[in-house]
Amino acid sequence: MNKLLAEEIYYYMTLGRRFELAAKEHYMKGDISGFLHLDIGQEGLSVAAMKAFEKGDVFSTYREHVMAIARGIDPKAVMAELFGKVTGVSRGKGGSMHLFDPSRFFYGGDAIVGGQIPNAVGCAYARKYKEEEEGVMVIFGDGATNGGAFFESLNIASAWKLPIIFLCENNRYAIGTEITRVSPFLEQSKKAAPYMPVTEVDGMDAIAVYEAVKEAQREIQNGRGPIFIEAFTCRYEGHSMSDSGSYRSPQEMQICKAQDPIERMKKALTESFEADAETIESLERRAQKAVEEAVEFAASSPEPDAAELFENLYCKRCGNVVS
Amino acid sequence: MLYREALNRAIDDVMRIDPDVVVLGEDVGLYGGSYRVTEGLVAKYGERRVIDTPIAELSIVGNAVGMAIGGLRPVAEIMTANFSLLAFDQIINHMSKYRYMSAGKITLPMVVRFPQGVSRQLAAQHSESYEQMLSAVPGLTVFAANDVNYAYHALKKAVLMDDPVIFIEHELLYNKKGDVDFNAELDPFKARIVKEGEDITIVSYLKMVDDVMASVGKIEESLKRSCEVIDLCSLNPVDYDTVAKSLKKTGRLVVVEEDHKTGGYGAQIVSNVCEELFYMLDAPPLRIAGEDVPIPYNRTLELLSIPTPDKIAEKITEWGRRNGL
Ligand SMILES: Cc1ncc(C[n+]2csc(CCOP(=O)(O)OP(=O)(O)O)c2C)c(N)n1
């Protein structure tokens, strides 16, 4: 990793954290509604994975704002989607959980736990079929590794040697249920190990995540088949805004926050990349400004009009829309 | 008592009298249930009887079927109706069919509960209603609770019954207040007359009953006619006697439902009424239902996608005028 990239990752992590804090604030004010899942604590993982897997398709979950932004989707369009505005990524129809941008190969927003995994496998098949090299990355939580879709996908991806990275964000909790209460393992990579190479990485260390994903992308190419990466991480907030997260002890949270990915990235920037305080501050200022602009844009954007309700249900050029 | 407290109390009451009753689902134990329906049960009955499962809906229902075969009375919770789709193989191929396929030798005393419906901006993958599909499965009994008293008695009965029951709840009803008459003998298969009237029979269930009740004043005022409101309570089987008795009086049928109109639950009601009671009708039946679109996130669009009290009043008034009321 070079200095420029390290700075970029730091920028997006800071932007991500501040974006999420702003989203939280506007949820409490009532500008955002529904289920809002914050990525605070996991930004290093989200940003580094996106930056490492620059090209190729990414499938993810409902906890995807920061990934979407790191993938290059304008924070304004993401915030506007959270506000339910027509200028949002999904024209206000998807909301926080459903952010998609095929022009950036980003299929972020599946809110059915595990549902996106077979889709990613199918996409990997298609990309291989078309001899496109970049492959696919599918991101899911520890909670998704207990469902059939996950196991079926491991089997198929491995049997067909598909170019896909399975990236498990193991934050140990599926809403209020701690993983070892419903799985024999804390490490979900154990489930994948019979099918494919697995690696574990510290998900609070953005640089380590970056290296792991970069390496994995090289590995999945040339017909060698899938790879499983497990990144251990920690979400600071409740599962969503409707959950206080009170099932975790203050001690547990303290240990977790001591690993703060942003602080660690800042330290790496200063120590390994010799970035000066001025550079870091200017990155932070830029991030802050981007968030403020996003909120302003979202707040001042128009609502979708009523006709939007029936838009995008069928493809018009397919000829099956009777007007 | 709140609707969710009534449900909690019903489960608690059967767990106390029958040690074979177990509860299973995602976050039902230590967390207390995502809508707090199972709150406190794990403290009372322990983790052997209040079982936190992984996120594996197919197994939740499939295991419940096996538990019932093995002699227990499972009460499974699916966190939100949309996730029940992952369990449809178990619900339809297993839960509903064991009894018939075994010529009655196997019975499945089990309940699958789930919250459904449009809540508040939960978007397309968390807002749907599946009563139309579930009621179309022979072998399943389907209860839908609007009323707090019904919620208590019907759930209790569902758990104690030997047939498999789908118990549908609406997410916006959990905080509804009402009285429970614990000593009442309530027949959960019987429809409930929520309001008596002479001229229009409005059939509904779940949350839409409340929306209908909120619109009735306006309808009666503008049409100068009175409405009889029926809460179906049991969606399969349907208490057609109560519906017929009402139609005999009013001659006019409106069905109000939140699910998508095409293939929606009310279509079956209208169809059966037309087949059996056609000559009782003085006007073509009216269906008010959700639009045929996935539920959008934006609040304005979301409300446009489903019936609301204003829309119900408007549509019934307009239909009434067209049909000589
Ligand atoms: C099929 C399905 N079942 C249940 C849910 C409800 N639900 C949403 S997120 C979640 C927990 C997921 O935990 P995990 O996969 O670890 O991801 P995290 O939220 O921790 O990122 C649950 C149970 C759902 N959305 N889809």
Side-chain angles (χ1 to χ4, degrees):
Chain A
M1 179 175 305
N2 61 35
K3 187 176 175 190
L4 211 63
L5 182 60
E7 285 181 6
E8 191 183 345
I9 290 180
Y10 182 72
Y11 166 74
Y12 276 105
M13 286 169 68
T14 311
L15 170 53
R17 170 78 50 100
R18 295 178 189 207
F19 184 95
E20 295 293 68
L21 289 170
K24 182 179 176 181
E25 181 190 330
H26 286 275
Y27 188 93
M28 300 202 282
K29 280 189 186 160
D31 297 326
I32 299 172
S33 187
F35 284 139
L36 180 73
H37 306 84
L38 300 174
D39 206 29
I40 297 175
Q42 306 187 171
E43 306 93 337
L45 172 49
S46 297
V47 171
M50 291 305 116
K51 291 299 167 192
F53 200 78
E54 270 172 294
K55 293 193 188 130
D57 304 88
V58 172
F59 288 74
S60 186
T61 67
Y62 44 84
R63 198 183 297 287
E64 86 287 38
H65 317 148
V66 179
M67 286 177 209
I69 294 168
R71 253 281 129 148
I73 301 179
D74 192 338
K76 289 184 184 144
V78 177
M79 190 62 88
E81 189 58 37
L82 270 50
F83 275 56
K85 299 298 182 72
V86 72
T87 51
V89 185
S90 304
R91 299 182 67 78
K93 292 199 283 206
S96 154
M97 299 193 285
H98 307 300
L99 305 173
F100 302 95
D101 188 349
S103 76
R104 290 189 172 75
F105 307 99
F106 185 76
Y107 311 91
D110 206 308
I112 301 300
V113 169
Q116 80 281 19
I117 308 176
N119 304 154
V121 169
C123 186
Y125 186 94
R127 295 306 190 198
K128 185 179 176 187
Y129 181 97
K130 290 175 178 280
E131 295 177 5
E132 288 162 356
E133 292 289 298
E134 290 81 6
V136 174
M137 177 160 67
V138 59
I139 303 169
F140 47 87
D142 48 279
T145 64
N146 298 319
F150 172 72
F151 288 98
E152 292 174 26
S153 297
L154 291 179
N155 181 64
I156 291 171
S158 172
W160 295 346
K161 290 204 172 0
L162 296 177
I164 179 167
I165 299 173
F166 291 87
L167 174 58
C168 175
E169 299 181 318
N170 189 340
N171 61 18
R172 288 194 28 225
Y173 287 88
I175 309 188
T177 299
E178 204 269 338
I179 183 73
T180 58
R181 295 186 57 237
V182 290
S183 166
F185 317 117
L186 169 64
E187 302 85 3
Q188 302 311 304
S189 57
K190 288 188 175 153
K191 295 173 180 169
Y195 297 92
M196 62 191 72
V198 302
T199 57
E200 288 181 9
V201 62
D202 177 355
M204 305 302 266
D205 178 349
I207 296 174
V209 172
Y210 181 89
E211 302 297 348
V213 172
K214 206 72 190 164
E215 172 66 20
Q217 188 169 28
R218 276 192 292 273
E219 285 297 314
I220 59 169
Q221 290 167 356
N222 311 319
R224 272 177 293 198
I227 283 193
F228 188 97
I229 303 175
E230 179 161 25
F232 293 95
T233 184
C234 173
R235 68 165 151 80
Y236 292 2
E237 303 285 317
H239 170 75
S240 71
M241 289 300 289
S242 14
D243 167 37
S244 65
S246 58
Y247 38 82
R248 299 175 300 177
S249 70
Q251 295 90 305
E252 185 179 344
M253 292 316 296
Q254 209 176 355
I255 295 170
C256 169
K257 288 181 181 174
Q259 302 292 308
D260 189 68
I262 296 185
E263 288 307 317
R264 282 172 73 175
M265 191 64 200
K266 192 178 194 165
K267 193 152 175 268
L269 259 187
T270 326
E271 289 173 8
S272 315
F273 298 97
E274 293 169 357
D276 54 23
E278 173 56 36
T279 310
I280 291 176
E281 271 169 37
S282 90
L283 293 169
E284 290 168 353
R285 269 198 309 276
R286 250 179 65 213
Q288 182 62 29
K289 188 153 168 277
V291 171
E292 284 164 14
E293 283 171 4
V295 169
E296 199 180 299
F297 176 80
S300 61
S301 285
E303 296 265 328
D305 57 40
E308 192 70 46
L309 183 61
F310 299 101
E311 281 295 319
N312 312 124
L313 194 53
Y314 297 101
C315 135
K316 289 209 167 103
R317 65 190 150 76
C318 304
N320 58 359
V321 176
V322 185
S323 60
Chain B
M1 172 174 283
L2 301 180
Y3 180 91
R4 68 177 154 75
E5 292 168 342
L7 294 168
N8 180 283
R9 180 70 187 270
I11 302 172
D12 194 350
D13 285 353
V14 280
M15 288 188 88
R16 198 166 43 241
I17 55 174
D18 185 346
D20 289 338
V21 175
V22 297
V23 169
L24 71 158
E26 295 156 17
D27 283 313
V28 296
L30 295 190
Y31 192 70
S34 49
Y35 291 99
R36 305 248 158 263
V37 170
T38 52
E39 194 162 42
L41 295 177
V42 74
K44 270 193 184 161
Y45 301 104
E47 291 187 42
R48 275 181 71 227
R49 293 186 68 192
V50 183
I51 307 157
D52 278 324
T53 68
I55 306 170
E57 286 77 10
L58 177 101
S59 287
I60 293 173
V61 179
N63 296 164
V65 168
M67 287 171 175
I69 291 173
L72 299 179
R73 279 185 189 274
V75 183
E77 174 178 295
I78 299 290
M79 197 179 268
T80 294
N82 283 74
F83 317 149
S84 74
L85 296 177
L86 283 119
F88 258 50
D89 167 60
Q90 285 298 333
I91 295 174
I92 299 179
N93 278 324
H94 303 263
M95 181 177 168
S96 80
K97 297 199 171 99
Y98 260 108
R99 186 180 176 82
Y100 191 79
M101 292 192 301
S102 69
K105 289 193 279 274
I106 297 173
T107 49
L108 298 179
M110 62 179 286
V111 178
V112 179
R113 300 181 26 246
F114 57 69
Q116 70 166 32
V118 171
S119 168
R120 205 183 156 91
Q121 293 192 260
L122 302 186
Q125 292 180 328
H126 281 75
S127 301
E128 271 176 330
S129 299
Y130 295 135
E131 65 274 18
Q132 70 300 78
M133 293 200 268
L134 293 161
S135 304
V137 182
L140 294 181
T141 297
V142 181
F143 291 157
N146 161 269
D147 173 61
V148 177
N149 190 45
Y150 180 83
Y152 173 81
H153 287 286
L155 182 54
K156 210 170 146 181
K157 173 81 188 192
V159 181
L160 296 173
M161 256 166 65
D162 284 340
D163 270 334
V165 178
I166 298 285
F167 196 91
I168 307 180
E169 299 153 19
H170 194 291
E171 288 169 22
L172 289 183
L173 293 174
Y174 286 119
N175 289 326
K176 178 175 172 173
K177 284 201 181 84
D179 294 327
V180 174
D181 179 357
F182 292 104
N183 300 318
E185 277 296 322
L186 184 141
D187 177 358
F189 291 96
K190 224 176 140 28
R192 191 169 66 92
I193 311 260
V194 188
K195 175 190 172 301
E196 295 195 8
E198 302 300 319
D199 309 301
I200 302 171
T201 298
I202 308 179
V203 170
S204 194
Y205 54 92
L206 285 171
K207 174 177 172 278
M208 282 298 130
V209 173
D210 295 345
D211 287 17
V212 167
M213 287 304 288
S215 68
V216 158
K218 258 195 199 162
I219 300 165
E220 296 190 334
E221 197 184 299
S222 48
L223 290 176
K224 306 277 179 268
R225 301 292 183 122
S226 74
C227 303
E228 180 143 305
V229 179
I230 298 177
D231 171 10
L232 283 180
C233 296
S234 170
L235 302 185
N236 186 22
V238 173
D239 173 10
Y240 279 108
D241 287 349
T242 298
V243 177
K245 220 178 272 165
S246 177
L247 284 175
K248 203 167 178 183
K249 183 164 60 167
T250 66
R252 294 175 192 86
L253 173 68
V254 178
V255 184
V256 183
E257 64 199 278
E258 189 180 295
D259 61 347
H260 307 306
K261 185 162 185 181
T262 299
Y265 180 78
Q268 193 59 46
I269 304 290
V270 169
S271 165
N272 285 0
V273 165
C274 286
E275 281 189 60
E276 303 290 330
L277 307 170
F278 188 74
Y279 295 105
M280 267 186 203
L281 298 180
D282 297 329
L286 172 69
R287 278 183 69 211
I288 301 176
E291 300 290 348
D292 291 328
V293 293
I295 310 300
Y297 167 71
N298 173 278
R299 182 65 174 158
T300 312
L301 296 182
E302 181 180 60
L303 289 176
L304 281 173
S305 76
I306 51 166
T308 56
D310 284 347
K311 272 195 268 179
I312 293 167
E314 217 171 278
K315 288 193 170 169
I316 294 181
T317 306
E318 197 256 334
W319 163 89
R321 296 229 162 93
R322 252 191 297 129
N323 291 288
L325 276 183

